């Protein structure tokens, strides 16, 4: 026979035995809120499975260690998770900056009365190619932003509404030195020039190459949106394309092909 005398009854040290009821409920709700925001930011910003899986595992471990009042385990897991979050923020700084600039804003594509318009993109891109090459050959400074999924309506508030079809002649007229609209950027949505003389916040990141205000403005808008921005240097006539926080130099001969690829590509998730 098994002697059960002297056997101690197992007494689990739950968190509700150590804290008042309201305290552990508030703490658990706070943990849920933090993880809900992390999940939301991961889905909106990174859209990758691995961070979500890691967060799920960490959430279960944190919840269990919290409920069983294993404070040393709880603090250790939370500390490692905070380091992990900081690492993700550092390696995806451009995407998170875009998210925190407008975390609850849904992106969308405008259309006339909500109906999508058919656009002859080949003809549109040829007009852009014609304008950019002409601006480059004459060394006329220009910055042209193409709005994609992220709305730039808030940024365009400081500009001048145009709302005219895209044409190379109109772009050349806007950027002609001496005209009232030649300073700042032109914003294009679909096949329409929405606004001109729009000014962006310059990127403050350090670069190995010295960039002027137009190039830093193009990088700046690409850090907070998925827009593609074409820049023509006033000093050299060189053409650059900014997207996803990066700036690439493009030759005049290859501009159309490179620009088409940029516009067709999905937003890069680092």
């Amino acid at each position: 026979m098994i002697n059960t005398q002297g056997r101690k009854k197992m007494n689990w040290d739950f968190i509700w035995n150590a804290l008042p009821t309201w305290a552990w409920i508030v703490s658990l709700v706070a943990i849920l809120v933090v993880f809900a925001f992390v999940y939301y930011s991961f889905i909106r910003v990174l859209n990758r499975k691995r961070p979500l899986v890691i967060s799920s595992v960490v959430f279960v471990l944190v919840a269990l260690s919290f409920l069983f009042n294993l404070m040393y385990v709880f603090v250790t897991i939370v500390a490692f998770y905070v380091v992990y979050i900081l690492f993700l923020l550092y390696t995806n700084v451009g995407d998170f900056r875009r998210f925190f600039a407008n975390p609850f804003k849904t992106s969308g594509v405008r259309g006339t009365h909500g109906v999508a318009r058919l656009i002859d993109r080949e003809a549109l891109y040829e007009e852009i190619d014609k304008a950019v090459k002409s601006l480059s050959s004459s060394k006329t400074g220009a910055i042209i932003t193409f709005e994609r999924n992220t709305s730039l309506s808030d940024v365009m508030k400081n500009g001048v509404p145009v709302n005219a079809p895209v044409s190379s002649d109109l772009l050349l007229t806007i950027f002609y030195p001496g005209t009232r609209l030649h300073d700042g950027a032109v914003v294009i949505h679909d096949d329409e020039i929405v606004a001109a003389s729009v000014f962006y916040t310059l990127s403050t990141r350090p670069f190995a190459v010295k960039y002027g205000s137009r190039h830093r403005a193009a990088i700046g808008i690409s850090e907070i949106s998925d827009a593609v921005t074409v820049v023509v240097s006033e000093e050299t006539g060189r053409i650059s394309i900014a997207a996803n926080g990066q700036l690439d130099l493009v030759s005049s001969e290859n501009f159309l092909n490179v620009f088409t690829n940029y516009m067709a590509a999905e937003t890069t998730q680092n």
Side-chain angles (χ1 to χ4, degrees):
M1 296 179 64
I2 300 175
N3 183 13
T4 58
Q5 294 181 356
R7 178 180 295 177
K8 294 181 179 180
K9 185 179 180 180
M10 184 173 291
N11 182 25
W12 290 102
D13 188 17
F14 290 102
I15 190 66
W16 48 77
N17 295 327
L19 293 175
T21 303
W22 66 267
W24 67 261
I25 291 179
V26 170
S27 301
L28 190 58
V29 170
I31 294 174
L32 288 172
V33 170
V34 170
F35 273 91
F37 182 77
V38 170
Y39 262 79
Y40 179 74
S41 63
F42 281 164
I43 293 172
R44 284 285 307 276
V45 179
L46 301 181
N47 195 22
R48 295 205 304 257
K49 292 182 178 180
R50 183 176 296 177
L52 294 176
V53 172
I54 292 176
S55 296
S56 300
V57 173
V58 170
F59 175 73
V60 172
L61 294 176
V62 166
L64 290 175
S65 62
F66 179 79
L67 291 174
F68 285 95
N69 201 18
L70 302 173
M71 288 298 108
Y72 289 111
V73 178
F74 176 82
V75 171
T76 302
I77 296 174
V78 170
F80 276 107
Y81 191 62
V82 168
V83 173
Y84 176 68
I85 295 297
L86 292 176
F87 174 77
L88 285 179
L89 287 170
Y90 176 76
T91 55
N92 300 274
V93 60
D95 295 319
F96 277 103
R97 180 185 170 189
R98 184 185 311 153
F99 167 72
F100 287 120
N102 229 326
F104 302 109
K105 188 169 186 177
T106 56
S107 59
V109 179
R110 295 193 302 264
T112 305
H113 302 295
V115 180
R117 292 177 295 159
L118 295 177
I119 301 171
D120 187 348
R121 298 199 177 276
E122 184 176 353
L124 172 65
Y125 292 169
E126 287 178 357
E127 286 293 311
I128 300 299
D129 180 60
K130 181 180 177 182
V132 169
K133 286 180 178 178
S134 179
L135 291 167
S136 175
S137 63
S138 62
K139 294 183 179 181
T140 302
I143 175 170
I144 308 172
T145 297
F146 298 85
E147 184 184 41
R148 299 207 290 175
N149 293 321
T150 307
S151 173
L152 301 179
S153 56
D154 291 339
V155 180
M156 289 187 284
K157 288 179 180 178
N158 64 49
V160 177
V162 176
N163 299 320
V166 173
S167 72
S168 58
D169 291 336
L170 180 55
L171 288 172
L172 294 176
T173 300
I174 291 174
F175 288 113
Y176 185 80
T179 60
R180 191 169 70 90
L181 301 179
H182 84 282
D183 283 331
V186 160
V187 178
I188 294 176
H189 178 82
D190 289 341
D191 58 351
E192 182 179 64
I193 299 177
V194 182
S197 193
V198 178
F199 290 89
Y200 304 140
T201 300
L202 307 186
S203 174
T204 57
R205 287 162 48 201
F207 296 99
V209 180
K210 184 178 180 181
Y211 291 128
S213 58
R214 281 194 182 91
H215 296 82
R216 284 192 172 272
I219 298 172
I221 194 63
S222 74
E223 290 175 341
I224 61 171
S225 72
D226 62 351
V228 173
T229 301
V230 177
V231 185
V232 179
S233 172
E234 186 176 7
E235 297 179 355
T236 64
R238 291 179 178 175
I239 305 169
S240 302
I241 297 179
N244 299 307
Q246 304 296 324
L247 186 73
D248 293 327
L249 186 65
V250 184
S251 66
S252 179
E253 295 77 12
N254 295 327
F255 170 76
L256 182 58
N257 289 333
V258 176
F259 173 71
T260 302
N261 291 335
Y262 267 97
M263 294 298 292
E266 295 293 332
T267 304
T268 301
Q269 301 293 340
N270 294 327

